[in-house]
Amino acid sequence: MELHSVSWREAAERLETDSERGLSRGEAQKRLLKFGKNEIRETKRKNLIIRFFSQFQDFMVLILLASAAVSFFVSRMRGDNEFIDSIIILAIVLCNAVIGMVQELRADKAIEALKKLSSPHARVLREGRKHTVESWELVPGDVVILKAGDLVPADIRLTKSVELQAEESALTGESVPAEKDANAVCSEDATLAERKNMLFASTGIASGAGVGIVTATGMDTSMGQIAKMLENEKAPMTPLQQKLKQTGKVLGIGVVVICAVIFTLGLIQKIEPLEMFMIAISLGVAAIPEGLTAVVTIVLAMGIKRMAQKRAIVRHMPAVETLGSTQVICSDKTGTLTQNKMTVTAFSGAYGEEKLDTPAAQFALELATLCNNSEDQEGKLFGDPTETAFLRACHTAKSTLEQSFPRAGEIAFTSARKMMTTAHRTADGYRIISKGAPDVLIARCSQMRKGSTIVPLSGSLKAKLMADNSALAERALRVLAVAYKDVSSLPGDDNETESNLIFCGLIGMEDPPRQGVKAAVAECKRAGILPVMITGDHAATALAIGKRIGIADDTSGVITGAELDRLSEGELSRRIFEYRIFARVSPEHKVKIVKAFQRRGMVVAMTGDGVNDAPALKSADIGCAMGKNGTEVAKSAADMVLTDDNFSTIVTAVREGRGIYKNIRKTIHFLLSCNIGEILVVFVAFLLRAPAPLLAIQLLWVNLVTDSLPALALGADPIERDVMEEPPHRKNEGIFSGGMGFSVAAEGCLVGALALLAYTIGRVWFDTDPMEPWIGRTMGFAVLSLSQLIHSFNMRSEHSVLKLGLFSNKKLLAACALCCALMVSVILVPALSAMFKTAALNGLQWLIVIGLSLFPLVAVEGEKLLLDHVPGRKRDKKDPRSR
């Protein structure tokens, strides 16, 4: 029920309540049954069993489970009871499932955080008497009494207000308390920030007092609407998740087809079905990179640790990689780009604008500090943000000034008078100080302070002062004037007290940009990322800040929430790149903007700190909340929390994300090229009707040990220096783009051919029985493992690894050394040799193995040397709009 557009009397009639007596207890009970409790409801959560089994939906996982089952039954049918293959495959699958379930258990707690914001009690009028009730008992029509410091328990239409101001920044984005007026009637399409006659659930009363009628409770409140949006919004799959899912499906289908073809060919050639089952399983095990999911998860976890050290806490693991693909950053203004702290930034006196540390400016600030109801308690400021700004800017402490000028009286600020006056004792009488709206205060001045002298304030000087005021206001500053006069005794009339004042100056305030934000915005642009501002603040204020930090310029488009409502989804999507500033927007608008960018194929990051940011934080590809001043609702809805509340940290996080994405591509490149080599060995041997060159347990060893450990080390590779000079990766860009698919296939064929060559040399030259190729199989196994370890160094860069330095990634050196030691142990240690069915090699055989294993480094270095001379290898940086 939209009651902000009618008078409070009509609102009371529509709600069928008495604004002076409230509801009867019986009516309150009826309405409680009808409307339900005044609380945010929680969403139903999946239990642990459902969560666990939902991890087995991936196509590759299903194929692995099928391989384990077939291997188990074939072993039982053969009667050899060798279940090691099945056990290892099941262990891998279970490990991945547990990791996935743990990640899901860290799911969003935004709804719970919204519940914590609710007021526990409320003071109401029922049957003409005041009662304190639990806030969940409130119903539409209840008359609620509020005072400074209270948390608003529901959405309320004011019926009475006395200098009432509400702190709504978390909901509307306004950086200063909103003035409220019960007698105001707003337009039907007024945004939340413009509804001066309304109070909203979970906001706070900053000053004054009021009485109002409850218009909405629970999920029908503005806060409840946000909770509904959080329920309905699903976090999109990250680009990496999409690409890995697609890759897994392609690999899985390919494996099934290859295994079916091999099995059919074997039956045509009249090979025993059980033997063909084992060959097909070996091929399946060879084709599927069992360690891929675990390796990617661990690489992301390492990235999370690095980012935490740089003040960015990642709550959802895949968000690390998403940062590297970010193309648009939609940033909230208040508290994100700005400090959410009103600050004095300008002073204009008799001689025009002056620095804040000049005598004239400090004199005016001392007067504003005395005419002030905020408090300084042990260095912490409490009170209205505008008044605390004066205390911070004044070089003299308020307590010191009050010792010299103790307060003797006050004429309080009212929205009608637009000014405040205090009287202070002096040695000769009293000093009267006034501050307020420039047009009101200048009209009450007859003189002006000019240096150390007082001069008459003529009409032309007043016009000049109003022009100075306009100049400050055009910079989106909030401007107050300060004046004073000294009298021997206090006048008996307020009007006389506030007349014939001496004008001192104009003080301009703003919520200033955070330090480093301008440089961060510039770096975003250099990196091909489009930054835009989304705020509940006024368009002029937002545009002024946007120009200062580089988000906007004179040609940038600005659009308000009311204008957004007049655009269809399709039209907004078409025109979305015309705008850099989105002002006076609601939570629904923020989600609409994010989705418009997403419909244009953009990967969108949203930063914010307020409750009003939460739905957009959740619907964005990556949501970044502020850690210090951000609400718990925003933090719970976000994928990442910036612990220093600094927009600049997002740029650091993007850099880390890009580096991590590159490292993940390196690991995928490495693992898949190794798997192609394994497939080639098994497949070619089958076509040649040779005995199996590699057993299933040997393939598992290669996939889980000699593949996975170097892959993990590649994930820790240092980030390349020029990573922020490249454009972000496109959302629809395949994981094998940029020639990676060809490289994977070519390098995989090379590794497979070398292993097959080693197997053939051992089988033909060294094995006594070619049908039982123990030496050949061992040599092929060793070359496959060791050549992959050598190949891991090729993965570190598109350019020669010699330029990076062979020893610049010590983790990779350690991983390769460990894998070499383990590989040698599998061949030389009798117990392990028996398990993996290997044979001891002599010196010549080891020389052949080492020679063949080193060849991939030589071959790929030659390939890089040739490609470095191919023009246009680097992608050109493009504007996101061109994508």
Side-chain angles (χ1 to χ4, degrees):
M1 196 180 293
E2 301 294 344
L3 298 178
H4 60 274
S5 58
V6 299
S7 68
W8 64 263
R9 289 183 177 83
E10 187 176 342
E13 288 177 13
R14 291 191 188 182
L15 290 165
E16 298 178 1
T17 189
D18 186 334
S19 62
E20 297 298 327
R21 292 183 55 80
L23 299 172
S24 66
R25 293 190 178 186
E27 181 63 22
Q29 284 297 318
K30 285 181 186 176
R31 295 192 184 192
L32 185 62
L33 291 172
K34 179 181 178 181
F35 295 103
K37 292 182 178 181
N38 177 36
E39 58 187 17
I40 305 296
R41 70 167 178 263
E42 292 188 53
T43 53
K44 292 181 180 178
R45 299 185 183 276
K46 292 189 290 186
N47 63 42
L48 284 176
I49 295 173
I50 294 173
R51 285 184 189 278
F52 180 74
F53 283 105
S54 67
Q55 307 303 316
F56 296 95
Q57 296 174 352
D58 185 79
F59 201 73
M60 281 202 298
V61 170
L62 293 175
I63 290 175
L64 280 174
L65 288 173
S67 297
V70 171
S71 177
F72 175 82
F73 285 115
V74 169
S75 294
R76 284 296 302 271
M77 290 171 69
R78 280 181 165 181
D80 53 20
N81 293 328
E82 290 188 5
F83 305 128
I84 186 71
D85 297 352
S86 302
I87 292 169
I88 292 174
I89 293 171
L90 285 174
I92 295 163
V93 172
L94 289 173
C95 181
N96 286 337
V98 170
I99 290 171
M101 187 178 70
V102 169
Q103 287 301 312
E104 275 198 19
L105 288 173
R106 296 175 181 171
D108 295 345
K109 296 180 181 176
I111 304 296
E112 291 176 18
L114 279 170
K115 288 189 75 175
K116 290 176 184 176
L117 286 177
S118 304
S119 174
H121 299 96
R123 289 186 300 280
V124 298
L125 276 176
R126 286 187 178 168
E127 298 176 343
R129 300 180 65 181
K130 294 179 182 179
H131 298 274
T132 299
V133 299
E134 298 282 343
S135 63
W136 61 262
E137 297 180 61
L138 286 180
V139 294
D142 259 327
V143 177
V144 179
I145 303 162
L146 294 156
K147 60 179 177 56
D150 285 349
L151 206 59
V152 180
D155 283 3
I156 291 171
R157 173 58 166 94
L158 288 167
T159 59
K160 296 177 184 177
S161 59
V162 181
E163 305 307 319
L164 186 63
Q165 291 188 323
E167 173 52 62
E168 298 176 345
S169 64
L171 184 65
T172 66
E174 291 278 8
S175 53
V176 295
E179 293 182 10
K180 298 295 179 178
D181 182 2
N183 295 317
V185 177
C186 307
S187 63
E188 284 189 24
D189 61 352
T191 63
L192 294 181
E194 293 167 341
R195 298 180 187 181
K196 295 183 178 297
N197 53 18
M198 294 289 297
L199 294 173
F200 303 105
S202 301
T203 60
I205 303 300
S207 61
V211 178
I213 303 169
V214 173
T215 62
T217 58
M219 297 299 285
D220 295 323
T221 63
S222 298
M223 201 64 71
Q225 294 301 313
I226 291 176
K228 283 180 185 176
M229 291 169 71
L230 287 170
E231 281 182 2
N232 298 331
E233 287 299 331
K234 286 191 174 180
M237 287 183 74
T238 71
L240 181 65
Q241 287 175 316
Q242 293 171 348
K243 290 165 189 172
L244 286 179
K245 185 178 180 182
Q246 183 183 13
T247 302
K249 192 170 285 187
V250 171
L251 280 174
I253 293 170
V255 167
V256 171
V257 170
I258 291 170
C259 289
V261 169
I262 291 289
F263 186 73
T264 305
L265 287 174
L267 293 180
I268 291 171
Q269 295 176 12
K270 298 182 179 180
I271 300 173
E272 275 190 52
L274 286 180
E275 185 180 342
M276 284 312 306
F277 262 126
M278 293 311 295
I279 291 172
I281 287 170
S282 294
L283 199 60
V285 171
I288 296 176
E290 292 88 352
L292 178 60
T293 305
V295 166
V296 170
T297 301
I298 294 167
V299 169
L300 289 172
M302 289 190 293
I304 286 174
K305 185 178 179 182
R306 281 211 306 268
M307 291 174 77
Q309 293 168 348
K310 297 183 179 181
R311 300 178 296 281
I313 308 264
V314 176
R315 297 183 65 253
H316 303 134
M317 194 174 283
V320 177
E321 172 271 332
T322 312
L323 276 166
S325 305
T326 300
Q327 295 166 297
V328 179
I329 298 179
C330 297
S331 178
D332 181 47
K333 178 184 75 70
T334 306
T336 306
L337 294 169
T338 64
Q339 298 174 20
N340 197 17
K341 182 171 68 177
M342 291 300 289
T343 305
V344 175
T345 58
F347 171 78
S348 182
Y351 297 104
E353 195 163 345
E354 301 180 29
K355 292 184 178 180
L356 295 178
D357 56 359
T358 62
Q362 282 300 308
F363 181 76
L365 286 168
E366 287 176 4
L367 295 179
T369 299
L370 285 166
C371 184
N372 196 312
N373 287 326
S374 59
E375 297 178 12
D376 185 346
Q377 297 178 5
E378 297 179 355
K380 290 186 178 181
L381 302 179
F382 298 90
D384 180 86
T386 301
E387 295 202 324
T388 57
F390 294 132
L391 268 64
R392 279 192 295 270
C394 183
H395 293 174
T396 309
K398 184 182 180 184
S399 57
T400 304
L401 291 170
E402 287 182 333
Q403 288 175 4
S404 303
F405 300 93
R407 185 178 292 194
E410 175 185 346
I411 305 173
F413 173 90
T414 67
S415 54
R417 293 181 343 99
K418 295 184 179 179
M419 62 182 293
M420 169 188 179
T421 299
T422 55
H424 302 264
R425 292 188 183 87
T426 64
D428 301 321
Y430 296 89
R431 173 164 287 180
I432 293 168
I433 306 171
S434 296
K435 74 174 192 297
D439 56 335
V440 173
L441 203 59
I442 289 171
R444 291 179 174 271
C445 294
S446 58
Q447 301 176 86
M448 179 171 67
R449 185 182 177 91
K450 194 170 185 180
S452 57
T453 61
I454 307 299
V455 300
L457 188 59
S458 62
S460 61
L461 283 176
K462 285 186 177 182
K464 178 186 176 298
L465 293 176
M466 290 307 297
D468 291 343
N469 173 55
S470 298
L472 293 175
E474 283 175 4
R475 285 154 50 184
L477 299 180
R478 186 179 188 189
V479 186
L480 289 180
V482 181
Y484 79 107
K485 67 179 179 181
D486 292 325
V487 296
S488 57
S489 61
L490 289 175
D493 178 64
D494 286 355
N495 189 52
E496 185 183 349
T497 301
E498 296 178 329
S499 61
N500 295 316
L501 298 170
I502 302 168
F503 178 81
C504 280
L506 301 168
I507 300 174
M509 289 160 288
E510 66 174 346
D511 180 12
R514 288 184 174 276
Q515 189 175 1
V517 163
K518 187 173 182 178
V521 168
E523 189 167 1
C524 281
K525 289 183 174 181
R526 285 197 303 274
I529 300 168
L530 178 68
V532 298
M533 182 193 295
I534 303 179
T535 178
D537 216 336
H538 295 280
T541 305
L543 181 59
I545 292 291
K547 285 181 178 179
R548 283 180 60 186
I549 62 178
I551 283 181
D553 55 32
D554 292 333
T555 63
S556 298
V558 181
I559 188 169
T560 64
E563 292 167 331
L564 274 173
D565 286 331
R566 293 194 285 271
L567 296 179
S568 66
E569 281 190 1
E571 191 174 0
L572 178 61
S573 295
R574 285 194 301 274
R575 298 178 58 187
I576 193 68
F577 288 110
E578 295 176 14
Y579 309 109
R580 295 294 178 274
I581 307 288
F582 299 85
R584 302 306 270 177
V585 295
S586 67
E588 291 86 353
H589 292 138
K590 293 186 178 189
V591 174
K592 193 175 179 182
I593 293 161
V594 167
K595 289 189 172 180
F597 277 117
Q598 289 173 330
R599 280 193 294 273
R600 291 292 297 271
M602 298 292 101
V603 177
V604 183
M606 169 75 189
T607 69
D609 64 346
V611 173
N612 60 331
D613 298 320
L617 287 171
K618 190 170 182 180
S619 64
D621 294 283
I622 178 162
C624 309
M626 303 296 123
K628 281 185 180 177
N629 296 319
T631 61
E632 288 303 316
V633 181
K635 292 178 198 174
S636 297
D639 301 290
M640 187 174 76
V641 178
L642 309 179
T643 60
D644 59 356
D645 283 17
N646 195 336
F647 178 82
S648 305
T649 306
I650 194 97
V651 181
T652 303
V654 167
R655 184 178 183 277
E656 288 290 326
R658 288 191 176 189
I660 290 163
Y661 179 75
K662 276 199 162 190
N663 287 349
I664 287 172
R665 269 179 52 107
K666 291 175 191 176
T667 62
I668 293 171
H669 184 161
F670 173 68
L671 289 172
L672 294 185
S673 62
C674 293
N675 279 78
I676 286 175
E678 294 161 24
I679 293 170
L680 187 70
V681 172
V682 175
F683 187 61
V684 171
F686 169 76
L687 292 178
L688 296 174
R689 300 297 304 274
L694 295 166
L695 303 176
I697 192 170
Q698 293 172 342
L699 288 167
L700 278 171
W701 171 267
V702 171
N703 281 353
L704 294 176
V705 180
T706 57
D707 283 1
S708 298
L709 290 179
L712 287 174
L714 284 170
D717 223 17
I719 296 171
E720 294 177 32
R721 293 178 184 176
D722 61 348
V723 74
M724 289 297 279
E725 300 300 320
E726 300 173 6
H729 299 284
R730 291 184 288 275
K731 199 172 191 175
N732 59 354
E733 186 176 272
I735 205 161
F736 300 110
S737 62
M740 181 172 141
F742 174 77
S743 295
V744 166
E747 291 158 15
C749 288
L750 174 63
V751 169
L754 291 170
L756 200 60
L757 178 59
Y759 166 72
T760 304
I761 291 171
R763 178 169 171 260
V764 173
W765 289 354
F766 299 110
D767 273 311
T768 53
D769 182 358
M771 300 311 294
E772 291 292 335
W774 283 77
I775 300 294
R777 188 174 287 150
T778 303
M779 288 180 68
F781 180 34
V783 167
L784 185 67
S785 297
L786 296 177
S787 64
Q788 289 178 1
L789 295 180
I790 297 298
H791 184 47
S792 66
F793 288 94
N794 292 324
M795 298 295 98
R796 293 196 56 208
S797 175
E798 295 176 354
H799 307 290
S800 173
V801 72
L802 300 175
K803 292 180 181 178
L804 292 177
L806 284 169
F807 305 102
S808 55
N809 186 341
K810 293 182 173 59
K811 290 180 180 175
L812 182 59
L813 284 171
C816 289
L818 176 61
C819 288
C820 281
L822 291 171
M823 187 62 225
V824 172
S825 300
V826 164
I827 295 173
L828 297 182
V829 176
L832 293 175
S833 177
M835 181 185 293
F836 286 91
K837 297 181 174 61
T838 60
L841 303 179
N842 61 32
L844 176 59
Q845 292 159 358
W846 274 116
L847 280 174
I848 294 170
V849 166
I850 292 168
L852 291 174
S853 299
L854 288 171
F855 188 75
L857 185 64
V858 177
V860 176
E861 280 294 305
E863 177 198 13
K864 288 177 181 178
L865 188 64
L866 289 173
L867 288 176
D868 275 344
H869 291 86
V870 175
R873 281 195 78 204
K874 289 280 185 182
R875 291 185 298 164
D876 294 330
K877 190 177 293 187
K878 294 181 181 178
D879 189 281
R881 288 169 288 181
S882 66
R883 295 179 191 154

